[in-house]
Amino acid sequence: MVGQCHLPGQAEARPHQQTGDGTPRESSPFINSVDMERESYYEGKNMALFEEEMDSNPMVSSLLNKLATYTNLSQGVVEHEEDEDSRRREAKAPRMGTFIGVYLPCLQNILGVILFLRLTWIVGAAGVLESFLIVSMCCTCTLLTAISMSAIATNGVVPAGGSYYMISRSLGPEFGGAVGLCFYLGTTFAGAMYILGTIEIFLTYISPGAAIFQAEAAGGEAVAMLHNMRVYGTCTLALMAVVVFVGVKYVNKLALVFLACVVLSILAIYAGVIKTAFDPPDIPVCLLGNRTLAKRSFDTCAKVHMVNNASEGTMLWGLFCNGSSPSAACDPYFMQNNVTEIQGIPGVASGVFLENLWSTYSDKGAFVEKEDVPSVPVPEESRTSGLPYVLTDIMTYFTMLVGIYFPSVTGIMAGSNRSGDLKDAQKSIPTGTILAIVTTSLIYLSCIVLFGACIEGVVLRDKFGEALQGNLVIGMLAWPSPWVIVIGSFFSTCGAGLQSLTGAPRLLQAIARDGIVPFLQVFGHGKSNGEPTWALLLTALICETGILIASLDSVAPILSMFFLMCYLFVNLACAVQTLLRTPNWRPRFKYYHWTLSFLGMSLCLALMFICSWYYALFAMLVAGCIYKYIEYRGAEKEWGDGIRGLSLNAARYALLRVEHGPPHTKNWRPQVLVMLNLDAEQAVKHPRLLSFTSQLKAGKGLTIVGCVLEGTFLDKHTEAQRAEENIRALMCAEKTKGFCQLVVSSSLRDGTSHLIQSAGLGGMKHNTVLMAWPQSWKQADNPFSWKNFVDTIRDTTAAHQALLVAKNVDGFPQNQERLGEGYIDVWWIVHDGGMLMLLPFLLRQHKVWRKCRMRIFTVAQEDDNSIQMKKDLQMFLYHLRISAEVEVVEMVESDISAFTYEKTLVMEQRSQMLRQMQLSKTEQEREAQLIHDRNTASHTSVAARTQVPPMPDKVQMTWTKEKLTAERHRDKSAGGAAGFRDLFSLKPDQSNVRRMHTAVKLNGVVLSKSQDAQLVLLNMPGPPRNRQGDENYMEFLEVLTEGLNRVLLVRGGGREVITIYS
């Protein structure tokens, strides 16, 4: 059955109810309803069983229809042509295949400026063998990266956005943003390198006379050249930026022309090599001794020549001597060494290959020398700067040459960057990219062998062709003319620069529009047709910094770093996804393995440090800063990335590791379950409880914020969702790092018990429960609220968990407050694991409590030696490495006061009444109020009593309003004591009297010492084993903490939590 689509607005216009695919549901329960139209009755009958879920689960037919009409739109930019017609033409045009769409763009991007301007020099300096190693390393690195990239690119549809899109969706926004910006910077600096290459070709080989700056002094040519590069480079950059801004479509159309230039140049090189085998070109190179001479300022390679049967000094003589006459004073090296002429390009058959096998590294300013030519050394040379020697312009060594060469193998992403324009991206990207890398690797490797076999070593090491009268070395080898290479390389580098200036702003725009780096948002905007204007401006500015460096050899290692960083993360993405075996990792490209990705990643890292360790560290620092910035300030994105999967795997592994047993005492810290209460609007009642949690935890360990909603989950799931959102918002505001766990249960009591039993996972379970004191336990409308509280205490004890009860929690400090001078007082009555010692120490780690000092009070009985107790306690604290003031308080045995009896009587009378009377809710409220009135009245009368009156054994259980009124009148007439005695016919339980006596006495002692303390920590006595006295237990706790400002009642979990051992 085909699902029928309808517009959202049509649903309201129809009388019958619509399903998700537009099929009307039956409006009547009867099959043969006369009101039902016949068509609508038969429509959708096959899927009647699923019709109620069709809003969320569409039919397969409609889903497949949507997938079939999916258009692969560009992520960053609407295409350059603004008018509808051209877009329509483009849509109708056949999409590109592997050859045109991937292979040729990769070929064009990989082959470029380094091949023409630096490869011969690299072969000359490093020798054929080491050059072979350099190229092999770099090509292996890109091949392994291409394999990883192919796996990622074929794992689902890759929209336009290329490598950035692949990495960010595989490794998450943090890595994606960091690597995306590295790739952007690499592409931008590549633009600068191509522009510098263009200017170098122009000023050195096409039109040397166009130089603006000339060398004023001898040896100043290099500085003048750099200034010329800066001026011309800046002008060229401005021109290219304008071209890209005005008509980027022309750049795309010219790409084929630039590619043709590259291919023709390479063919010309191979043709020239073949020609040298049978007809080597006559290109003489002049040597003085074993030193190469720059053949720019002289024509004849000889010291003297015959003019009218007389010998005269040549132009070369004039350069080395003070005059042209044979008797003039000359340079000593010139006088003692002969001038010889050798062939610059002796050809393949000459055997020069063996001489060029080994490296010839040299320092800056060294002579370019031929090793097997005899030379007479001179002890001291005064002036070499003005003499026509060919000198090395920079120091050469293996690692530096790797950095300069690596940019010539970049460009492997060109195919994946065009994924939106390909007919079948998942087939074309792997095939085209790997074929392009194999092709270019063979070209580079064959060129190294052929250059070493054809060209003389001194010519190879002559970077700017000075010995060849300023001609391009590789051009002299080419056939039919050197100009094929010069013009071809000029246009190809020019085109590559334009391509970089076109691609880099689009990459930046894609990153900006993803919204992961907030300060880049402005670069997401552009012209009405989507052209990234602001991004182009920033790209031009960054490119200008590269041009101001002005040296091709200095810029190349910079972009090597950024590209290597990008490739490293492509390999990492593939390795992570493969090792995690995520269900979505199903690449069509099958020839990958995590070991290959890991090898590629290691090779990238090694190459980074081989090229330049300080550039590598700088690139990592930049990527790390961007990563941390996105982590803290960036937008939250959930892209199903591999790093999240890695985190889950790591978490699972860690959880399984900590499952084996409880932590050692040294590792124990409170892993807190915070029990929150909600009001009718699902807002948190005591938000300061979370403030206290974050102060206690300081972001360490586990925090679970638990909450119970009363009801059934089906009815309350929306309220539960709202409550969870409120709790998470409060956790965020209070900077509480932890998890929220909300339970909907039929009763609060059961829900709390379930949380205490089951919150957490495996070894990551809580060991401490933190809750607020139930302030409403005495209120008339909730006489049994204490029941849940006392049962929770019993649950924590049974579960061997510690319990913290914060009383007056709304008066606790917020995270923004800073408590000044004050004390945290610990009343250590009984030892239950050392929680009382540990908690103040943890609190004082937080800024709120940092300035508070710690005092420890312990209670001595009459038969205790209080002086010895104090010494022992001080020694104990010293071993615990906790600094605190110590005080031993003596509690003298005294008679139980009348006030204690009175308190006990009032408590028992109240609990008896509430327990025995089975009244309705309104009567209970009235009874509680009457009891309150009676308590108030009795306080005044009891003050005069000095001893407890004898009480009858009979316990009066019934109590009515009339009897209370009568007793009140009797009380007034007969006097306070007699009336009170008649009123209370209860005999107080002796154990209750003793407990009340302890509570009253302790409260008095604590008040006398700690009334002004910022926080008081007290041992919490356990609830009675006999459940009949639970309400009395609440009264004891109330009396114990009466009059104190902030109290934390602490109950240990039955294990030691602090140790004196290291």
Side-chain angles (χ1 to χ4, degrees):
M1 187 186 113
V2 177
Q4 297 177 351
C5 296
H6 67 279
L7 296 170
Q10 291 172 342
E12 289 82 0
R14 295 184 182 181
H16 43 251
Q17 193 179 7
Q18 296 287 335
T19 61
D21 66 336
T23 310
R25 298 179 188 153
E26 289 89 340
S27 52
S28 163
F30 304 108
I31 296 299
N32 296 320
S33 170
V34 290
D35 298 330
M36 191 188 298
E37 293 179 13
R38 193 166 184 78
E39 284 179 15
S40 63
Y41 163 58
Y42 283 115
E43 189 179 4
K45 243 175 42 171
N46 292 346
M47 292 295 155
L49 190 60
F50 298 96
E51 65 181 2
E52 289 194 2
E53 293 179 347
M54 292 237 178
D55 292 321
S56 56
N57 303 343
M59 287 183 58
V60 174
S61 55
S62 57
L63 174 73
L64 292 174
N65 185 38
K66 282 179 189 171
L67 287 176
T69 56
Y70 169 76
T71 53
N72 196 346
L73 290 173
S74 168
Q75 183 191 11
V77 205
V78 180
E79 203 44 54
H80 327 301
E81 288 79 18
E82 52 261 44
D83 53 313
E84 283 293 324
D85 295 335
S86 58
R87 273 209 293 271
R88 206 172 292 121
R89 274 202 306 276
E90 199 172 39
K92 286 178 185 173
R95 286 173 173 262
M96 293 185 284
T98 306
F99 187 74
I100 297 288
V102 182
Y103 181 76
L104 290 182
C106 284
L107 212 64
Q108 181 192 354
N109 276 266
I110 294 170
L111 299 169
V113 63
I114 301 291
L115 170 66
F116 300 120
L117 294 184
R118 293 289 181 270
L119 194 60
T120 52
W121 173 70
I122 288 170
V123 173
V128 173
L129 293 178
E130 287 186 27
S131 302
F132 212 82
L133 179 63
I134 290 171
V135 174
S136 301
M137 274 168 52
C138 296
C139 291
T140 306
C141 175
T142 53
L143 183 65
L144 292 171
T145 304
I147 290 170
S148 299
M149 187 192 75
S150 301
I152 298 170
T154 57
N155 187 49
V157 179
V158 178
S163 57
Y164 160 70
Y165 184 91
M166 289 190 294
I167 296 166
S168 61
R169 270 46 176 189
S170 298
L171 288 179
E174 292 88 1
F175 277 111
V179 179
L181 285 174
C182 279
F183 191 50
Y184 164 72
L185 290 170
T187 311
T188 306
F189 274 104
M193 185 187 75
Y194 290 130
I195 290 170
L196 289 173
T198 307
I199 303 306
E200 187 178 304
I201 292 167
F202 177 72
L203 288 178
T204 312
Y205 308 115
I206 295 177
S207 177
I212 298 168
F213 297 92
Q214 302 295 337
E216 293 176 4
E221 292 90 352
V223 176
M225 184 64 177
L226 292 181
H227 289 324
N228 286 319
M229 299 277 273
R230 289 183 183 109
V231 173
Y232 275 100
T234 305
C235 297
T236 309
L237 172 64
L239 186 66
M240 285 185 175
V242 169
V243 169
V244 171
F245 178 74
V246 172
V248 78
K249 57 184 175 184
Y250 301 117
V251 177
N252 290 339
K253 285 172 183 172
L254 284 171
L256 209 59
V257 177
F258 298 137
L259 178 63
C261 292
V262 177
V263 173
L264 283 173
S265 301
I266 289 167
L267 291 174
I269 292 167
Y270 282 120
V273 169
I274 293 165
K275 182 176 177 291
T276 62
F278 53 85
D279 182 17
D282 180 27
I283 301 168
V285 175
C286 195
L287 301 179
L288 174 63
N290 63 355
R291 299 176 185 174
T292 314
L293 296 178
K295 211 172 179 181
R296 285 180 187 267
S297 47
F298 65 92
D299 49 4
T300 309
C301 186
K303 290 185 179 180
V304 291
H305 62 144
M306 301 301 291
V307 177
N308 300 327
N309 294 328
S311 61
E312 273 189 21
T314 58
M315 289 174 72
L316 186 62
W317 183 281
L319 291 170
F320 280 93
C321 304
N322 289 335
S324 57
S325 66
S327 60
C330 294
D331 180 75
Y333 187 85
F334 180 74
M335 294 306 294
Q336 297 197 29
N337 286 278
N338 294 324
V339 175
T340 52
E341 206 169 47
I342 58 167
Q343 278 300 318
I345 302 178
V348 178
S350 64
V352 77
F353 181 75
L354 294 172
E355 294 175 19
N356 292 331
L357 270 179
W358 310 108
S359 60
T360 315
Y361 298 121
S362 57
D363 292 327
K364 183 178 179 179
F367 298 106
V368 175
E369 297 175 334
K370 184 167 170 60
E371 290 176 356
D372 56 350
V373 175
S375 168
V376 179
V378 176
E380 286 184 14
E381 291 191 67
S382 54
R383 60 183 195 97
T384 57
S385 56
L387 301 177
Y389 290 123
V390 178
L391 304 174
T392 54
D393 63 333
I394 56 171
M395 184 180 177
T396 52
Y397 44 93
F398 179 79
T399 57
M400 188 212 71
L401 294 179
V402 175
I404 290 174
Y405 173 74
F406 189 80
S408 65
V409 294
T410 60
I412 61 170
M413 301 287 185
S416 64
N417 289 347
R418 294 163 182 251
S419 54
D421 304 324
L422 298 173
K423 198 183 297 177
D424 183 1
Q426 300 198 1
K427 180 185 170 190
S428 298
I429 289 175
T431 315
T433 307
I434 291 170
L435 271 178
I437 289 172
V438 170
T439 308
T440 51
S441 301
L442 290 173
I443 289 171
Y444 281 127
L445 292 169
S446 61
C447 279
I448 284 169
V449 174
L450 295 175
F451 292 163
C454 292
I455 305 172
E456 182 60 57
V458 289
V459 177
L460 285 172
R461 291 192 293 282
D462 181 6
K463 188 190 283 187
F464 301 110
E466 291 174 277
L468 308 178
Q469 294 178 322
N471 286 312
L472 185 61
V473 175
I474 199 170
M476 302 305 285
L477 177 64
W479 179 86
S481 165
W483 287 100
V484 175
I485 298 285
V486 173
I487 301 300
S489 62
F490 178 79
F491 279 117
S492 75
T493 49
C494 202
L498 278 170
Q499 291 276 359
S500 296
L501 284 180
T502 308
R506 275 160 183 69
L507 183 60
L508 182 63
Q509 189 180 42
I511 297 168
R513 287 191 173 175
D514 258 349
I516 55 173
V517 186
F519 71 83
L520 289 181
Q521 297 280 16
V522 65
F523 298 109
H525 308 302
K527 290 196 290 189
S528 57
N529 63 335
E531 283 299 305
T533 314
W534 291 106
L536 177 63
L537 190 64
L538 181 69
T539 304
L541 288 173
I542 296 171
C543 202
E544 177 62 20
T545 60
I547 284 167
L548 291 177
I549 294 171
S551 168
L552 188 74
D553 304 317
S554 302
V555 173
I558 297 174
L559 68 107
S560 294
M561 287 306 134
F562 289 123
F563 277 122
L564 278 166
M565 183 76 80
C566 179
Y567 296 166
L568 184 146
F569 281 109
V570 170
N571 284 303
L572 175 66
C574 183
V576 165
Q577 297 274 33
T578 310
L579 286 171
L580 286 177
R581 296 186 184 137
T582 48
N584 190 51
W585 181 246
R586 303 185 298 275
R588 286 184 184 280
F589 181 78
K590 298 296 179 190
Y591 307 103
Y592 69 94
H593 195 266
W594 70 267
T595 50
L596 291 177
S597 301
F598 191 76
L599 183 64
M601 189 176 76
S602 308
L603 197 52
C604 286
L605 195 63
L607 282 172
M608 282 175 73
F609 282 94
I610 284 171
C611 292
S612 170
W613 64 268
Y614 46 89
Y615 276 159
L617 291 176
F618 176 72
M620 286 177 165
L621 183 69
V622 169
C625 289
I626 297 166
Y627 178 94
K628 294 309 287 182
Y629 177 80
I630 295 171
E631 191 177 57
Y632 284 118
R633 294 291 312 278
E636 285 292 323
K637 299 279 181 184
E638 179 48 69
W639 286 333
D641 50 86
I643 291 296
R644 186 173 174 82
L646 193 63
S647 304
L648 288 169
N649 250 26
R652 173 184 156 274
Y653 175 75
L655 280 171
L656 290 171
R657 284 288 303 275
V658 298
E659 177 75 3
H660 297 310
H664 191 274
T665 304
K666 286 187 285 188
N667 295 331
W668 195 95
R669 66 162 61 244
Q671 317 285 17
V672 182
L673 169 64
V674 187
M675 297 300 300
L676 292 181
N677 293 322
L678 302 176
D679 58 18
E681 300 297 319
Q682 273 74 49
V684 177
K685 274 186 183 174
H686 302 293
R688 295 286 176 90
L689 209 56
L690 283 181
S691 308
F692 183 71
T693 307
S694 57
Q695 291 158 25
L696 181 66
K697 301 289 289 176
K700 304 290 191 299
L702 174 74
T703 304
I704 301 172
V705 180
C707 186
V708 181
L709 269 183
E710 204 166 1
T712 58
F713 183 66
L714 284 176
D715 298 334
K716 293 274 186 177
H717 68 276
T718 50
E719 286 94 327
Q721 203 171 358
R722 188 162 71 248
E724 195 165 339
E725 285 170 8
N726 292 342
I727 293 170
R728 286 189 195 282
L730 184 63
M731 286 172 72
C732 187
E734 296 292 346
K735 295 186 172 64
T736 306
K737 294 178 181 175
F739 309 99
C740 176
Q741 193 159 350
L742 191 137
V743 171
V744 181
S745 177
S746 54
S747 72
L748 289 174
R749 166 78 194 90
D750 289 345
T752 308
S753 180
H754 294 158
L755 273 177
I756 289 170
Q757 291 174 65
S758 62
L761 180 65
M764 284 294 279
K765 286 184 74 70
H766 62 278
N767 54 29
T768 306
V769 177
L770 171 63
M771 58 197 300
W773 175 261
Q775 301 285 3
S776 62
W777 78 274
K778 274 189 173 180
Q779 287 179 8
D781 61 339
N782 194 6
F784 291 101
S785 65
W786 42 264
K787 195 73 180 161
N788 286 338
F789 178 76
V790 179
D791 284 341
T792 303
I793 298 172
R794 287 198 175 100
D795 285 344
T796 56
T797 307
H800 300 292
Q801 292 170 6
L803 176 68
L804 310 176
V805 178
K807 195 174 179 200
N808 304 326
V809 70
D810 294 326
F812 275 54
Q814 290 181 303
N815 288 331
Q816 295 78 26
E817 292 180 41
R818 300 287 179 269
L819 296 178
E821 293 301 317
Y823 291 100
I824 299 176
D825 284 358
V826 176
W827 284 85
W828 194 20
I829 316 296
V830 293
H831 179 66
D832 57 356
M835 276 281 283
L836 282 167
M837 308 293 169
L838 190 61
L839 292 174
F841 170 76
L842 293 173
L843 278 175
R844 289 180 64 229
Q845 307 298 308
H846 197 273
K847 292 175 184 175
V848 173
W849 302 91
R850 192 161 288 161
K851 291 185 180 176
C852 294
R853 285 179 294 168
M854 184 174 161
R855 289 191 302 195
I856 296 183
F857 297 93
T858 189
V859 176
Q861 303 299 323
E862 273 187 349
D863 52 351
D864 292 327
N865 183 344
S866 58
I867 297 170
Q868 189 59 41
M869 271 180 75
K870 185 170 182 177
K871 283 183 181 176
D872 291 346
L873 181 53
Q874 283 171 334
M875 183 55 68
F876 180 56
L877 289 175
Y878 174 76
H879 286 310
L880 286 176
R881 290 94 61 206
I882 290 175
S883 57
E885 296 174 24
V886 174
E887 194 169 333
V888 178
V889 180
E890 294 186 2
M891 273 183 74
V892 184
E893 283 288 341
S894 62
D895 292 336
I896 296 172
S897 66
F899 175 69
T900 303
Y901 269 102
E902 160 62 9
K903 278 268 187 192
T904 314
L905 276 169
V906 170
M907 174 186 78
E908 289 192 349
Q909 178 71 7
R910 178 182 182 279
S911 59
Q912 285 282 12
M913 288 176 200
L914 289 177
R915 196 186 303 123
Q916 296 297 330
M917 292 185 298
Q918 301 297 322
L919 302 173
S920 67
K921 189 182 176 186
T922 53
E923 287 173 322
Q924 276 188 9
E925 288 172 5
R926 191 162 64 242
E927 281 296 320
Q929 185 60 44
L930 292 174
I931 293 161
H932 177 71
D933 295 343
R934 189 262 305 141
N935 288 353
T936 314
S938 64
H939 267 293
T940 53
S941 60
V942 80
R945 291 189 304 164
T946 53
Q947 65 177 58
V948 185
M951 301 218 176
D953 289 330
K954 185 188 173 192
V955 177
Q956 183 173 335
M957 294 297 184
T958 55
W959 190 253
T960 61
K961 188 177 179 180
E962 292 75 22
K963 184 176 278 192
L964 178 68
T965 313
E967 292 294 345
R968 271 191 183 159
H969 288 304
R970 273 177 56 192
D971 187 42
K972 285 175 185 172
S973 58
F980 188 78
R981 193 161 52 246
D982 293 334
L983 177 66
F984 288 94
S985 53
L986 276 171
K987 183 178 181 180
D989 184 86
Q990 285 305 308
S991 64
N992 282 347
V993 172
R994 282 189 296 106
R995 286 193 176 97
M996 183 62 79
H997 175 68
T998 307
V1000 171
K1001 286 283 287 181
L1002 260 179
N1003 178 250
V1005 172
V1006 173
L1007 272 178
S1008 67
K1009 298 285 185 182
S1010 303
Q1011 191 154 17
D1012 298 326
Q1014 298 286 10
L1015 180 66
V1016 177
L1017 284 87
L1018 271 167
N1019 279 115
M1020 184 180 190
R1025 288 190 177 86
N1026 176 15
R1027 292 181 178 237
Q1028 298 302 315
D1030 285 357
E1031 62 276 21
N1032 299 341
Y1033 170 68
M1034 293 296 290
E1035 190 72 52
F1036 297 142
L1037 292 181
E1038 191 73 68
V1039 171
L1040 181 63
T1041 57
E1042 201 169 9
L1044 294 170
N1045 182 19
R1046 301 185 187 115
V1047 185
L1048 189 67
L1049 292 167
V1050 181
R1051 186 163 169 74
R1055 60 161 293 168
E1056 291 294 326
V1057 300
I1058 196 164
T1059 177
I1060 63 171
Y1061 299 106
S1062 62

